[in-house]
Amino acid sequence: MTGLGTLVRLALRRNRWFLLAWVLGLAVIAPATATAYETVVGGLAGAGALDVMAANPTMRAMLGPPTDLGTPGGFTVWRVGTFIAAAAGVMAVLGVVRVTRADEEEGRTELIRSGVVGRHAPLTAGVLVALLGCLVLGALVSAGMAAVGEPVTGSLAFGLGVALVSAVFVGVGAVAAQVTSAGRAARGLGLAVLLAAYLLRGIADAGPEGSVRRDLAWASPLQWMALVRPYADERWAVLLLPAGLTALLVGGAFVLESRRDHGSGLWSVRPGRDRAAEGLLSPSGLAWRLQRGTVIGWLVGLSVFALGMGSLSGSFGQMLEDLPQLEAVFRRLGQGAEQLVDAFFVAMLGIVAVLVGIVGVQLWQRLATEEHRGHAELLLAAAVPRTRLALSHLVLAALASTAVLAVFAALLATPEALDRGDAGVILQTVGAALALAPGGLLVLGLAVLLHGLLPRLAWLVWVVVGWSLFMVWVGSVLGLPEWLARLTPWHALPALPVEEMGWAPVLVTTGLALALMAAGVWGYRRRDLRLP
Amino acid sequence: MGVIEIRDLVKRFGSTVALDGLDLEVEEGEIHGFLGPNGAGKSTTLRVLLGLLRADSGTARLLGGDPWSEAATLHRRLAYVPGDVSLWPGLTGGEVIDLLGRLRGGLDERRRADLVERFDLDPRRKGSTYSKGNRQKVALVAALASDVELLLLDEPTSGLDPLMEAEFREVVAADRDRGRTVLLSSHILSEVEHLCDRVSIIRSGVVVESGTLAQLRHLTRTQLDAVLAVPVPADLADAPGVHDTVVDGTRLTCQVDDAALGALLSRLAALGVRSLTSTPPTLEELFLRHYDQRGTAEPRP
Ligand SMILES: Nc1ncnc2c1ncn2[C@@H]1O[C@H](COP(=O)(O)OP(=O)(O)OP(=O)(O)O)[C@@H](O)[C@H]1O
Ligand SMILES: [Mg+2]
């Protein structure tokens, strides 16, 4: 493996900000949650109430079963452990694909390979750097938990669990990078495996205690960290599972890499049509063709998620009967809902509205990719005005993300509607989702503005999205000041049906979004095209 | 009226000055060669003409219009082939040809079929599976099959094999004969020599020479190789306009400015000439002198 050292340094350089942001962002969540334990338990009138809440199938599906809610450590593992492991899995997949398949696709690896480096050196370097990110994250989680006074043994198990579970997804990303022939497809495949693992453990964990369905959780790598039982009689041997699977996957990636040609994947590319279909022959037709895979991927992923979560909505009523004192807590979580089902929908829509914000921004940013790959140059040189090119991606991003949100809401409410025999709840939930849609448009507007006026700072929009996701997912447990939690593009919008429909925030947010978009497109018309 | 008229064009990228007061004129119906060393500013000039980049100062007119504000309308009348064509990985070559053709306002179907055949292109393959030369061919077919007045070609044959390059020359020459104007940036001198009516040589963002090939040749020196009847007199090397003299007994090799050629020849004739070969400057020598930065220090006749 000649040249490995150089390549590792290169991969480190290219990935340092990426990994640093992910690792630090994820590492603070665990100790922050542990320190918020007293406040949360106090608010719930004792850890006993937490137990009942955690026993609810819906909560189990989202967070996994708890091992020990009597200590801050056990509570942290239950409340944010799976989230940290899943997010670290995303980091692992993206990190390894970035410096392997994506680089190969852009032709950067070819330059490196033609130099004096071993055949597998680029893949080795990519895997090593991503593994390093996982290990550092694990070490920081252990250190952070120990630093806030949690038992060292449990903290070590927690950190190692996070590190090794995310390492599995380094392996998943490495294999995906061999199988597919494009960075986007590799990321899609890796993240689809991650989503499947998350859903599998959700379905398993929602099952009754001691059932076979419950045992299915062992099949999901994402659950292995929790199955080590940090802070509650650690089962160290479980750590062998992710370690072994990582070794297997990485080894598999190397074998696959030996079997394929440089620049191609294992899935070969079939020839296509020799003439274009009429629908392709316009900027919007092209934009749809380029993006339909992404749109359909999100649609399928969120639809499965919606049906899975929707089918659990009924169990909330059950929990209310078990534990009347929880009512107030849930009303608060669901913004004071009368019906607990409503509270559940409000909470779900709050999260998914932000996720769908990602869809919009991702679809829009394809335009930036088109520019730096030189495709936009071809189009603009061929009688396509800049405005038309920008609008082809902008309209698609706005429409597709809103449609995905509406479909999610409809499917989320469908089980409840079947249960009640009343389709009205579907309409009501779709309406509630659409009331949140302007938040996504506002984020999209910010992305358009940055692309048009400050293309170098385009990443800023991800800070806003990441912050919002963080706030809706784990922000409520951290006890952050109210004004801070309000600082998201979605917060001003009415949470239907719990809150009254307020047209003012909806219209103001939409208007602001449109203004940002207009300014961004104006800037895009005036600036130099970004070239390869 | 010129199809392309550029005056005093300046384009900066941060602190790099890519174009530094460039003047360029391309007449209707000519193939205009655009040459210069790497990084001289050829692609930048073309991109300003296409409205992809905005000039910092100076004026540029394209087909009688403003390349920035009237970009989309003007582009219906021209076709462009970039130096490094990057295709969408999921679209086939045929789809890209149809797409670019339609966006430009339509393709000539007969020509499309003819060019696909001539360039031996498989239009059913996906963009990610084409070689560099084949990607280039896709863009070439799309451009040449469009019904346009002007072709802007940025190193269009880089990556083409010699057979395909010959096809390209034939097609472009025929196009010129039908009245199309071509601006051809190229590093391949034989291609320029074969095709271009006029050339402009650009260096560090300024055009340093412009004219027909014959005119440019006049600005240079002829290589002389003579064997005299008597030993070569020592003072011959000092004669005006004679350079790089090498003397070996009766044999003389030197370079002569065109202006001094007559005087030198009559002097040699007086001495008695056994044999004489004169070689006109090759295009390579011509361009090497312009490309080489040190060339500026040398006084030109
Ligand atoms: N987008 C850009 N940003 C910064 N600098 C640029 C950019 N595009 C070109 N340059 C610089 O401008 C100068 C001219 O580049 P240009 O691509 O026009 O050269 P060229 O004559 O086409 O060269 P080549 O023969 O290599 O294609 C170079 O110094 C280049 O580095
Ligand atoms: Mg160039």
Side-chain angles (χ1 to χ4, degrees):
Chain A
M1 292 256 180
T2 5
L4 184 60
T6 321
L7 285 182
V8 168
R9 273 194 300 278
L10 192 71
L12 262 180
R13 264 180 65 97
R14 290 190 14 84
N15 257 347
R16 61 188 164 185
W17 298 119
F18 173 84
L19 287 176
L20 203 67
W22 275 92
V23 165
L24 290 183
L26 290 177
V28 296
I29 297 176
T33 308
T35 46
Y37 176 69
E38 293 304 331
T39 334
V40 175
V41 173
L44 281 177
L50 257 185
D51 281 330
V52 179
M53 189 166 136
N56 179 266
T58 311
M59 294 303 275
R60 284 207 311 268
M62 285 201 291
L63 303 175
T67 46
D68 177 10
L69 292 178
T71 64
F75 169 75
T76 305
V77 170
W78 169 71
R79 185 61 183 80
V80 294
T82 307
F83 169 77
I84 295 178
V90 174
M91 164 185 91
V93 169
L94 297 183
V96 80
V97 171
R98 255 164 85 88
V99 289
T100 54
R101 173 52 72 184
D103 270 6
E104 186 169 333
E105 186 188 8
E106 307 270 342
R108 279 193 282 269
T109 325
E110 203 170 346
L111 282 177
I112 295 171
R113 271 221 206 169
S114 59
V116 278
V117 298
R119 174 179 178 73
H120 293 300
L123 178 60
T124 316
V127 166
L128 283 180
V129 168
L131 284 179
L132 183 71
C134 298
L135 285 181
V136 171
L137 172 61
L140 287 179
V141 166
S142 296
M145 290 301 282
V148 297
E150 294 313 302
V152 173
T153 332
S155 304
L156 198 63
F158 188 12
L160 266 177
V162 168
L164 288 173
V165 165
S166 48
V168 169
F169 290 93
V170 172
V172 169
V175 170
Q178 307 311 312
V179 175
T180 59
S181 56
R184 212 155 53 101
R187 279 189 288 272
L189 182 62
L191 295 181
V193 171
L194 185 74
L195 180 71
Y198 189 83
L199 282 173
L200 178 64
R201 59 140 292 282
I203 291 167
D205 286 339
E209 187 92 40
S211 63
V212 183
R213 177 171 157 202
R214 199 64 174 269
D215 291 337
L216 223 66
W218 284 90
S220 170
L222 270 186
Q223 194 63 357
W224 291 342
M225 186 278 293
L227 288 169
V228 174
R229 302 176 59 93
Y231 305 106
D233 287 335
E234 290 82 4
R235 291 186 290 206
W236 296 98
V238 176
L239 288 173
L240 292 176
L241 284 173
L245 185 57
T246 305
L248 218 69
L249 286 168
V250 170
F254 280 108
V255 173
L256 292 176
E257 190 179 45
S258 317
R259 298 222 177 134
R260 69 181 181 87
D261 296 330
H262 182 79
S264 65
L266 283 174
W267 292 345
S268 63
V269 185
R270 281 191 306 276
R273 331 164 47 109
D274 63 341
R275 298 305 302 255
E278 194 56 34
L280 174 68
L281 299 177
S282 67
S284 0
L286 176 67
W288 169 245
R289 171 74 177 270
L290 296 175
Q291 309 249 44
R292 65 184 178 193
T294 311
V295 174
I296 291 171
W298 277 102
L299 200 61
V300 170
L302 285 176
S303 296
V304 173
F305 189 54
L307 285 174
M309 287 297 148
S311 62
L312 295 167
S313 56
S315 67
F316 263 94
Q318 184 65 47
M319 179 159 68
L320 179 67
E321 278 167 30
D322 293 350
L323 193 72
Q325 76 261 40
L326 257 189
E327 204 181 313
V329 177
F330 264 93
R331 293 245 165 88
R332 195 160 48 99
L333 235 162
Q335 321 236 352
E338 286 290 323
Q339 293 276 329
L340 281 187
V341 174
D342 289 344
F344 174 65
F345 286 168
V346 166
M348 285 317 299
L349 287 180
I351 293 177
V352 172
V354 181
L355 280 179
V356 163
I358 297 181
V359 180
V361 173
Q362 191 191 3
L363 292 174
W364 163 256
Q365 289 193 339
R366 174 73 197 214
L367 180 59
T369 312
E370 289 285 286
E371 275 177 58
H372 86 75
R373 294 217 179 129
H375 301 154
E377 182 177 12
L378 285 176
L379 296 175
L380 292 173
V384 177
R386 295 239 184 149
T387 318
R388 198 158 155 227
L389 180 62
L391 285 182
S392 69
H393 288 278
L394 178 53
V395 170
L396 178 67
L399 287 184
S401 58
T402 310
V404 167
L405 182 60
V407 169
F408 174 85
L411 292 177
L412 181 69
T414 300
E416 177 71 13
L418 290 175
D419 211 32
R420 286 195 210 163
D422 169 19
V425 63
I426 296 182
L427 279 182
Q428 182 198 319
T429 315
V430 171
L434 290 181
L436 293 175
L441 294 182
L442 187 58
V443 176
L444 178 58
L446 177 64
V448 175
L449 183 81
L450 289 171
H451 185 64
L453 295 174
L454 299 162
R456 276 165 206 281
L457 299 183
W459 52 271
L460 270 177
V461 70
W462 293 114
V463 175
V464 174
V465 173
W467 167 257
S468 307
L469 201 57
F470 177 76
M471 286 318 297
V472 289
W473 211 313
V474 287
S476 56
V477 255
L478 297 185
L480 296 174
E482 183 72 8
W483 63 267
L484 205 58
R486 276 184 195 284
L487 276 182
T488 81
W490 284 269
H491 204 275
L493 298 165
L496 299 179
V498 177
E499 294 172 4
E500 291 276 301
M501 175 63 190
W503 282 104
V506 170
L507 291 179
V508 167
T509 309
T510 310
L512 197 58
L514 290 176
L516 291 184
M517 290 174 190
V521 172
W522 176 81
Y524 185 59
R525 287 169 49 115
R526 297 176 50 83
R527 71 164 165 83
D528 280 353
L529 190 70
R530 309 245 294 167
L531 293 158
Chain B
M1 190 209 62
V3 169
I4 294 172
E5 287 172 356
I6 297 178
R7 295 262 169 285
D8 209 16
L9 198 66
V10 176
K11 176 69 196 172
R12 291 185 205 93
F13 296 106
S15 59
T16 3
V17 185
L19 300 181
D20 191 9
L22 179 111
D23 297 297
L24 181 70
E25 194 119 357
V26 176
E27 300 294 334
E28 190 169 341
E30 74 175 359
I31 301 186
H32 195 104
F34 197 31
L35 299 111
N38 293 132
K42 302 180 294 295
S43 302
T44 305
T45 308
L46 290 176
R47 284 164 173 163
V48 169
L49 283 174
L50 285 162
L52 302 173
L53 298 177
R54 193 174 191 152
D56 292 310
S57 68
T59 58
R61 303 289 290 171
L62 176 76
L63 295 164
D66 177 53
W68 178 265
S69 61
E70 297 168 58
T73 5
L74 292 175
H75 292 181
R76 295 187 159 269
R77 298 163 59 194
L78 64 84
Y80 166 63
V81 177
D84 193 358
V85 178
S86 125
L87 300 178
W88 294 271
L91 263 58
T92 64
E95 286 177 317
V96 172
I97 294 172
D98 287 343
L99 174 69
L100 294 180
R102 172 68 66 89
L103 294 178
R104 224 174 254 139
L107 277 181
D108 180 337
E109 282 297 327
R110 281 238 310 281
R111 248 175 100 69
R112 181 194 190 278
D114 176 48
L115 286 163
V116 166
E117 172 133 5
R118 285 184 84 144
F119 282 122
D120 195 21
L121 181 72
D122 178 358
R124 288 166 39 99
R125 298 186 59 171
K126 292 268 172 71
S128 56
T129 65
Y130 280 121
S131 64
K132 162 144 175 61
N134 280 321
R135 288 201 302 271
Q136 209 72 27
K137 285 189 217 166
V138 170
L140 272 173
V141 171
L144 295 171
S146 313
D147 185 19
V148 292
E149 298 158 43
L150 170 67
L151 294 172
L152 297 177
L153 310 176
D154 192 356
E155 298 181 39
T157 55
S158 60
L160 290 196
D161 64 45
L163 214 63
M164 291 305 133
E165 212 185 303
E167 291 289 346
F168 167 79
R169 288 182 195 181
E170 215 169 287
V171 175
V172 172
D175 269 3
R176 182 247 330 264
D177 296 341
R178 286 188 296 153
R180 273 189 188 173
T181 312
V182 183
L183 178 58
L184 171 69
S185 134
S186 177
H187 287 301
I188 301 170
L189 298 174
S190 61
E191 177 176 286
V192 172
E193 190 162 26
H194 191 271
L195 282 176
C196 295
D197 305 299
R198 291 202 306 144
V199 299
S200 291
I201 301 177
I202 173 177
R203 201 176 60 208
S204 311
V206 245
V207 168
V208 289
E209 212 70 74
S210 193
T212 64
L213 285 175
Q215 283 168 342
L216 293 191
R217 282 210 170 94
H218 270 297
L219 298 173
T220 57
R221 300 165 186 161
T222 303
Q223 172 84 23
L224 267 193
D225 199 343
V227 180
L228 304 184
V230 295
V232 178
D235 65 333
L236 209 65
D238 303 329
V242 178
H243 310 268
D244 302 337
T245 317
V246 180
V247 174
D248 178 17
T250 57
R251 190 190 186 96
L252 165 76
T253 5
C254 65
Q255 302 219 334
V256 195
D257 289 343
D258 286 358
L261 197 56
L264 181 67
L265 281 182
S266 32
R267 225 185 128 191
L268 292 182
L271 292 167
V273 181
R274 289 257 170 80
S275 81
L276 176 84
T277 44
S278 83
T279 332
T282 64
L283 210 54
E284 267 79 0
E285 286 164 337
L286 185 87
F287 290 120
L288 285 178
R289 271 189 53 200
H290 283 294
Y291 279 27
D292 192 347
Q293 290 291 342
R294 288 162 303 179
T296 31
E298 236 171 301
R300 274 205 295 277

